[in-house]
Amino acid sequence: MRVAFIGLGDIGSLMASHLARDPFSLAVWNRTASKARDFAAKHSARVAASAAEAAHRAEVVVMCLPSSAEVEAVLHGEQGLLHALEPGSVLLDCTSGDPATSRSIAAELSGRGVSFIDAPVSGGTTAAKSGSLTVMWGGDESDFQRVRPVVEAFGKKIVHAGPVGAGDALKAVNNALLAVHILSTGEGLAILVKAGVDPTTALEVINASSGRSNTSENLIPQRVLTRAFPRTFRLALLDKDIGIAEALATELGMQTPVLSLAAKRLHQARSILGEEVDHVEAVRMIETENGVVIK
Ligand code: NDP
């Protein structure tokens, strides 16, 4: 199966690594060409000079870019990906995108005989490395059957969310919950540290009680208490995701004040801490505001 992979970022490169073997014949393209060359030095893949060249004769084109805006830019940009997609091929967009843009891309592609599936992933770089991501996809079942082997190469739990855009919606809400957990657990632990409770003791209780979450069980112990803060998922991307969830709620005429406040705080953290820090570093903003260190 001829596959093109576009976007070898923190998670994209790990997903693509599972496609660099039989039965796939893989072509890769990345905006920063050195990353594609480094990838091909380690894996069996052809480095394409452009997104269009990668897609030439590909049956499946996988994209994993920051947001739907970059997906559109690559489709319509000078690279001319749109014109290079083969009729009968499928664009599998693993970007955590926004539902409205995905629907508009799907409509545009369908006029060219190309199918579109939004297929955002969760599980982070650890699951991407082991090929056990959760994949939530939106689109037609018959289109999905054609890309199933590709999705199964990096995914373990594979769930049909609904029509095109439903995968994006589900992903955005999941990540909005992640943002709320990071902010609320960070604030809770900051209170406890200031009140004189050791954060390890606090987590021992919280993680045996109803306040627990993946944030309290894994992220805070492994990344905050240790002060390691590894970069696996940029805060800027989480800010983008909660923004998608908020926009969706607005579009649906809903009242979601908790989500809106969390979105505002994440946006603030992004402007203070910058584009390159990891998402868990949002806790640093809470620490600074309150003069405490959770360690
Ligand atoms: P990164 O920021 O690490 O990588 C982004 C990729 O997109 C890079 O290859 C970058 O190229 C490329 N890119 C950015 N802008 C453009 C552009 N204008 N034109 C062409 N290429 C561009 O992101 P991740 O790999 O972490 O995330 C990718 C997607 O997956 C996002 O939607 C994210 O929300 C989602 N995701 C990420 C997870 C994670 O743990 N990291 C977990 C689950 C979902 P270049 O190398 O040139 O910068």
Side-chain angles (χ1 to χ4, degrees):
M1 185 182 250
R2 288 183 300 277
V3 179
F5 202 106
I6 292 166
L8 300 169
D10 286 342
I11 202 157
S13 56
L14 297 168
M15 291 163 69
S17 69
H18 299 288
L19 301 167
R21 59 179 68 113
D22 276 350
F24 308 107
S25 162
L26 181 67
V28 294
W29 179 77
N30 193 67
R31 180 181 61 176
T32 304
S34 58
K35 283 196 204 167
R37 286 196 298 271
D38 289 351
F39 181 89
K42 291 192 215 117
H43 306 283
S44 166
R46 172 174 71 82
V47 177
S50 66
E53 193 197 304
H56 180 62
R57 298 190 60 235
E59 291 148 89
V60 181
V61 176
V62 188
M63 293 180 88
C64 193
L65 300 180
S67 73
S68 295
E70 287 81 15
V71 174
E72 285 225 290
V74 171
L75 272 172
H76 295 130
E78 279 172 39
Q79 304 286 352
L81 176 62
L82 184 66
H83 303 283
L85 292 167
E86 303 281 339
S89 66
V90 184
L91 176 55
L92 180 69
D93 186 11
C94 292
T95 305
S96 302
D98 69 85
T101 310
S102 285
R103 284 194 295 269
S104 121
I105 293 172
E108 182 175 28
L109 294 186
S110 104
R112 301 179 157 266
V114 175
S115 303
F116 178 92
I117 289 174
D118 52 308
V121 300
S122 66
T125 50
T126 307
K129 210 174 280 175
S130 60
S132 56
L133 285 164
T134 295
V135 184
M136 54 217 89
W137 63 275
D140 287 343
E141 188 68 52
S142 59
D143 293 333
F144 187 75
Q145 287 315 323
R146 289 149 62 205
V147 300
R148 182 174 276 284
V150 171
V151 176
E152 284 178 345
F154 52 71
K156 190 169 163 200
K157 189 171 184 64
I158 298 165
V159 178
H160 187 194
V164 168
D168 288 335
L170 183 42
K171 175 66 190 176
V173 170
N174 177 75
N175 277 22
L177 298 180
L178 166 64
V180 169
H181 289 155
I182 291 173
L183 293 167
S184 58
T185 311
E187 287 186 8
L189 288 172
I191 296 170
L192 290 169
V193 169
K194 207 138 205 182
V197 180
D198 177 72
T200 305
T201 307
L203 284 173
E204 193 185 332
V205 172
I206 289 166
N207 287 335
S209 309
S210 46
R212 71 183 180 277
S213 64
N214 181 56
T215 298
S216 67
E217 289 180 329
N218 294 306
L219 297 180
I220 304 266
Q222 292 162 16
R223 300 172 179 222
V224 178
L225 297 193
T226 58
R227 313 309 289 170
F229 292 108
R231 208 305 273 285
T232 61
F233 175 47
R234 291 188 297 121
L235 173 62
L237 293 173
L238 186 58
D239 177 46
K240 173 259 310 180
D241 290 334
I242 195 167
I244 294 170
E246 198 186 14
L248 187 58
T250 305
E251 185 190 314
L252 297 169
M254 300 178 66
Q255 299 293 320
T256 53
V258 171
L259 195 149
S260 297
L261 182 56
K264 196 170 149 214
R265 290 286 284 158
L266 251 251
H267 203 61
Q268 200 181 350
R270 179 179 179 175
S271 47
I272 293 169
L273 299 164
E275 293 297 300
E276 296 304 324
V277 300
D278 186 68
H279 64 305
V280 181
E281 297 202 44
V283 171
R284 286 192 197 272
M285 175 180 75
I286 296 164
E287 290 181 327
T288 306
E289 287 167 345
N290 293 292
V292 295
V293 178
I294 302 165
K295 68 172 184 187

